[in-house]
Amino acid sequence: MRSINLDQLRTFTEVVACGSFSAAARRLNLTQPAVSLQVRELERRLRISLIERMGRTARATAPGRELIEHARRIFRECESATSAMDRFRDGRVGRVHIATTLTALTYQLPPVLTRLRQDHPGIELQVTNMSTCDSVEAIIDNSVDLALITLPVDETHLRVTPLRPEMLVAILPEATPDIPDLVTPDYVASQPLVLEHTRGAIHGLIMQWLSGQLPLAREPMRLGTVEALKNVVALGPCMSIVPDVAVADTLPGIVVRPLSPALPCTLGLAEHHNRPREPALDVVRQALLDLGTITSVDMTPCSQGRGHLLNGARGARGPVPAMARVP
């Protein structure tokens, strides 16, 4: 037996509801012969009589009444399926996987996730902390949809959009004697260092900046998070180099200095060139692109003491889990 035709099924239910073929034809904006043909075809498909005539009135037979109960459930499911597809088409629901550096996850991404959760509660976000190197690989093999990375990145399979021209800065214990106004590679090479883990993109930028002083006289201590770096520097006697967004607020026991030459660590958004566009993905992509409209942190000399004032964006503070699902 062939599958039931939904148009024929709906025509049949209208005939029974209206009590006549002509009334059903007017409601469906069809001719009466077309309505009669659809009902006959449905009966032929099911090989059973569905309608009987009582004078001028058309009534459902016993199997016809049973079919109407099934039809009501079928039409409810059809409406539910259509509504679900409408939500996907409009970007109200969907699933998007974001990879991000730990710095972006800690200082820049939380307000974006909060806004997405409030404005688009139907979009499920999976957020995974990855190094820039791992994020690039994940975008290429389509295991993640979007990635916040540290630039520069040169990969032909990716579409990369610079978001914020951030800078790396030096942080030192407040008790360090004779801290220069501008921290140079020569000065850094003379100090005990604590740096990000070697797989991170920022570590690579720092090593390139220090290339004229390599190998260093003392091997740097290496930690996994910027917050850990800040805590160790506050205890002394070592210094570190971190993104300016990580020290946008006053830090007790720590002095912040710009580097010379300056060392950019631009935040960028990476996506696959051939990734199919979906409404939910476009919503999340635009929210991440909006990070580029936030003023980056600027450093200006402080009028008192040896510190600097950092003005501009203020990211969320506090630890953020390496993987989070935002319902």
Side-chain angles (χ1 to χ4, degrees), residues 29 44 48 56 64 72 94 98 109 121 125 133 160 165 169 187 205 233 299 317:
N29 197 28
R44 190 176 298 117
I48 196 166
R56 292 179 176 273
R72 289 169 179 163
I98 304 170
L109 198 52
L125 296 177
C133 180
V160 178
V169 295
Y187 179 85
L205 292 174
V233 169
M299 294 189 64
R317 295 294 179 263

mmCIF file of all heavy atoms in Angstrom, residues 29 44 48 56 64 72 94 98 109 121 125 133 160 165 169 187 205 233 299 317:
data_model
loop_
_atom_site.group_PDB
_atom_site.id
_atom_site.type_symbol
_atom_site.label_atom_id
_atom_site.label_comp_id
_atom_site.label_asym_id
_atom_site.label_seq_id
_atom_site.Cartn_x
_atom_site.Cartn_y
_atom_site.Cartn_z
ATOM 1 N N ASN A 29 -10.889 26.099 -1.001
ATOM 2 C CA ASN A 29 -10.662 26.853 -2.240
ATOM 3 C C ASN A 29 -10.340 25.906 -3.400
ATOM 4 O O ASN A 29 -9.425 26.140 -4.194
ATOM 5 C CB ASN A 29 -9.540 27.877 -2.045
ATOM 6 C CG ASN A 29 -9.541 28.942 -3.124
ATOM 7 O OD1 ASN A 29 -10.590 29.256 -3.702
ATOM 8 N ND2 ASN A 29 -8.373 29.498 -3.427
ATOM 9 N N ARG A 44 -9.087 4.631 -2.377
ATOM 10 C CA ARG A 44 -8.403 3.647 -3.226
ATOM 11 C C ARG A 44 -7.064 3.244 -2.593
ATOM 12 O O ARG A 44 -6.680 2.069 -2.651
ATOM 13 C CB ARG A 44 -8.199 4.244 -4.619
ATOM 14 C CG ARG A 44 -7.710 3.229 -5.648
ATOM 15 C CD ARG A 44 -7.610 3.852 -7.039
ATOM 16 N NE ARG A 44 -8.915 4.311 -7.503
ATOM 17 C CZ ARG A 44 -9.198 5.575 -7.755
ATOM 18 N NH1 ARG A 44 -8.271 6.527 -7.567
ATOM 19 N NH2 ARG A 44 -10.388 5.920 -8.189
ATOM 20 N N ILE A 48 -10.699 0.969 1.317
ATOM 21 C CA ILE A 48 -11.830 0.903 2.238
ATOM 22 C C ILE A 48 -12.683 2.151 2.058
ATOM 23 O O ILE A 48 -12.169 3.218 1.681
ATOM 24 C CB ILE A 48 -11.351 0.784 3.713
ATOM 25 C CG1 ILE A 48 -12.487 0.330 4.612
ATOM 26 C CG2 ILE A 48 -10.745 2.100 4.203
ATOM 27 C CD1 ILE A 48 -11.986 -0.114 5.988
ATOM 28 N N ARG A 56 -28.320 14.633 1.720
ATOM 29 C CA ARG A 56 -27.347 15.622 1.259
ATOM 30 C C ARG A 56 -26.101 15.687 2.163
ATOM 31 O O ARG A 56 -25.202 16.472 1.914
ATOM 32 C CB ARG A 56 -28.010 17.013 1.227
ATOM 33 C CG ARG A 56 -29.092 17.147 0.169
ATOM 34 C CD ARG A 56 -29.694 18.541 0.230
ATOM 35 N NE ARG A 56 -30.673 18.737 -0.822
ATOM 36 C CZ ARG A 56 -30.399 19.154 -2.050
ATOM 37 N NH1 ARG A 56 -29.149 19.418 -2.388
ATOM 38 N NH2 ARG A 56 -31.367 19.302 -2.952
ATOM 39 N N GLY A 64 -13.714 5.438 8.714
ATOM 40 C CA GLY A 64 -13.438 6.856 8.481
ATOM 41 C C GLY A 64 -13.291 7.614 9.787
ATOM 42 O O GLY A 64 -12.420 8.489 9.919
ATOM 43 N N ARG A 72 -5.953 13.680 13.206
ATOM 44 C CA ARG A 72 -5.741 14.787 14.140
ATOM 45 C C ARG A 72 -4.353 14.737 14.757
ATOM 46 O O ARG A 72 -3.679 15.759 14.895
ATOM 47 C CB ARG A 72 -6.819 14.761 15.226
ATOM 48 C CG ARG A 72 -8.204 15.167 14.720
ATOM 49 C CD ARG A 72 -9.264 14.878 15.741
ATOM 50 N NE ARG A 72 -10.586 15.293 15.256
ATOM 51 C CZ ARG A 72 -11.734 14.888 15.775
ATOM 52 N NH1 ARG A 72 -11.735 14.041 16.820
ATOM 53 N NH2 ARG A 72 -12.881 15.309 15.270
ATOM 54 N N GLY A 94 19.366 25.622 17.923
ATOM 55 C CA GLY A 94 20.516 25.083 17.214
ATOM 56 C C GLY A 94 21.612 24.752 18.206
ATOM 57 O O GLY A 94 21.469 24.962 19.417
ATOM 58 N N ILE A 98 32.053 26.246 20.191
ATOM 59 C CA ILE A 98 33.065 27.296 20.150
ATOM 60 C C ILE A 98 34.331 26.790 20.830
ATOM 61 O O ILE A 98 34.279 26.287 21.956
ATOM 62 C CB ILE A 98 32.596 28.572 20.872
ATOM 63 C CG1 ILE A 98 31.269 29.071 20.293
ATOM 64 C CG2 ILE A 98 33.657 29.662 20.809
ATOM 65 C CD1 ILE A 98 30.644 30.186 21.115
ATOM 66 N N LEU A 109 34.874 36.260 26.875
ATOM 67 C CA LEU A 109 33.726 35.494 26.414
ATOM 68 C C LEU A 109 32.527 35.480 27.371
ATOM 69 O O LEU A 109 31.388 35.419 26.901
ATOM 70 C CB LEU A 109 34.167 34.062 26.103
ATOM 71 C CG LEU A 109 33.253 33.209 25.228
ATOM 72 C CD1 LEU A 109 32.891 33.935 23.939
ATOM 73 C CD2 LEU A 109 33.900 31.872 24.932
ATOM 74 N N PRO A 121 17.739 31.670 24.056
ATOM 75 C CA PRO A 121 17.794 30.524 24.974
ATOM 76 C C PRO A 121 17.696 29.180 24.275
ATOM 77 O O PRO A 121 18.062 28.158 24.852
ATOM 78 C CB PRO A 121 16.596 30.762 25.906
ATOM 79 C CG PRO A 121 15.671 31.644 25.130
ATOM 80 C CD PRO A 121 16.555 32.513 24.290
ATOM 81 N N LEU A 125 25.061 26.100 23.387
ATOM 82 C CA LEU A 125 26.456 26.438 23.135
ATOM 83 C C LEU A 125 27.360 25.452 23.871
ATOM 84 O O LEU A 125 27.206 25.238 25.074
ATOM 85 C CB LEU A 125 26.761 27.858 23.622
ATOM 86 C CG LEU A 125 26.026 28.998 22.917
ATOM 87 C CD1 LEU A 125 26.366 30.320 23.562
ATOM 88 C CD2 LEU A 125 26.364 29.020 21.437
ATOM 89 N N CYS A 133 46.677 26.538 18.345
ATOM 90 C CA CYS A 133 47.104 25.462 17.438
ATOM 91 C C CYS A 133 46.034 24.375 17.353
ATOM 92 O O CYS A 133 45.668 23.929 16.255
ATOM 93 C CB CYS A 133 48.429 24.884 17.926
ATOM 94 S SG CYS A 133 49.072 23.535 16.906
ATOM 95 N N VAL A 160 39.722 34.034 8.724
ATOM 96 C CA VAL A 160 40.155 34.619 9.994
ATOM 97 C C VAL A 160 39.807 36.103 10.014
ATOM 98 O O VAL A 160 40.172 36.843 9.094
ATOM 99 C CB VAL A 160 41.671 34.416 10.222
ATOM 100 C CG1 VAL A 160 42.102 35.078 11.524
ATOM 101 C CG2 VAL A 160 42.004 32.928 10.237
ATOM 102 N N PRO A 165 42.861 44.495 18.677
ATOM 103 C CA PRO A 165 44.328 44.624 18.633
ATOM 104 C C PRO A 165 44.906 44.729 20.037
ATOM 105 O O PRO A 165 45.313 45.798 20.491
ATOM 106 C CB PRO A 165 44.537 45.911 17.827
ATOM 107 C CG PRO A 165 43.319 46.730 18.131
ATOM 108 C CD PRO A 165 42.193 45.748 18.299
ATOM 109 N N VAL A 169 51.908 42.762 27.834
ATOM 110 C CA VAL A 169 52.545 43.686 28.777
ATOM 111 C C VAL A 169 53.332 42.887 29.796
ATOM 112 O O VAL A 169 53.086 41.697 30.004
ATOM 113 C CB VAL A 169 51.501 44.574 29.495
ATOM 114 C CG1 VAL A 169 50.802 45.492 28.496
ATOM 115 C CG2 VAL A 169 50.481 43.723 30.246
ATOM 116 N N TYR A 187 66.055 43.491 29.318
ATOM 117 C CA TYR A 187 65.659 43.502 30.727
ATOM 118 C C TYR A 187 64.980 42.180 31.094
ATOM 119 O O TYR A 187 65.270 41.590 32.151
ATOM 120 C CB TYR A 187 64.722 44.677 31.003
ATOM 121 C CG TYR A 187 64.262 44.743 32.439
ATOM 122 C CD1 TYR A 187 65.046 45.365 33.411
ATOM 123 C CD2 TYR A 187 63.046 44.180 32.830
ATOM 124 C CE1 TYR A 187 64.640 45.410 34.729
ATOM 125 C CE2 TYR A 187 62.632 44.228 34.145
ATOM 126 C CZ TYR A 187 63.433 44.848 35.097
ATOM 127 O OH TYR A 187 63.021 44.890 36.412
ATOM 128 N N LEU A 205 54.798 33.881 20.726
ATOM 129 C CA LEU A 205 55.040 35.300 20.461
ATOM 130 C C LEU A 205 56.150 35.841 21.361
ATOM 131 O O LEU A 205 57.012 36.609 20.919
ATOM 132 C CB LEU A 205 53.749 36.092 20.683
ATOM 133 C CG LEU A 205 52.606 35.843 19.693
ATOM 134 C CD1 LEU A 205 51.353 36.597 20.131
ATOM 135 C CD2 LEU A 205 53.007 36.260 18.287
ATOM 136 N N VAL A 233 53.562 35.989 40.274
ATOM 137 C CA VAL A 233 54.294 37.258 40.194
ATOM 138 C C VAL A 233 54.045 38.103 41.440
ATOM 139 O O VAL A 233 54.971 38.750 41.966
ATOM 140 C CB VAL A 233 53.886 38.023 38.914
ATOM 141 C CG1 VAL A 233 54.427 39.457 38.947
ATOM 142 C CG2 VAL A 233 54.405 37.300 37.678
ATOM 143 N N MET A 299 47.272 51.782 27.665
ATOM 144 C CA MET A 299 48.091 52.047 28.840
ATOM 145 C C MET A 299 48.590 53.484 28.784
ATOM 146 O O MET A 299 49.134 53.940 27.791
ATOM 147 C CB MET A 299 49.282 51.090 28.899
ATOM 148 C CG MET A 299 48.895 49.641 29.113
ATOM 149 S SD MET A 299 50.330 48.611 29.423
ATOM 150 C CE MET A 299 50.919 49.299 30.954
ATOM 151 N N ARG A 317 35.697 38.619 35.549
ATOM 152 C CA ARG A 317 36.797 38.087 36.345
ATOM 153 C C ARG A 317 36.401 36.772 36.979
ATOM 154 O O ARG A 317 35.235 36.455 37.138
ATOM 155 C CB ARG A 317 37.201 39.084 37.436
ATOM 156 C CG ARG A 317 37.785 40.373 36.843
ATOM 157 C CD ARG A 317 39.095 40.079 36.133
ATOM 158 N NE ARG A 317 39.653 41.271 35.550
ATOM 159 C CZ ARG A 317 39.501 41.596 34.296
ATOM 160 N NH1 ARG A 317 38.776 40.863 33.499
ATOM 161 N NH2 ARG A 317 40.071 42.672 33.816
#
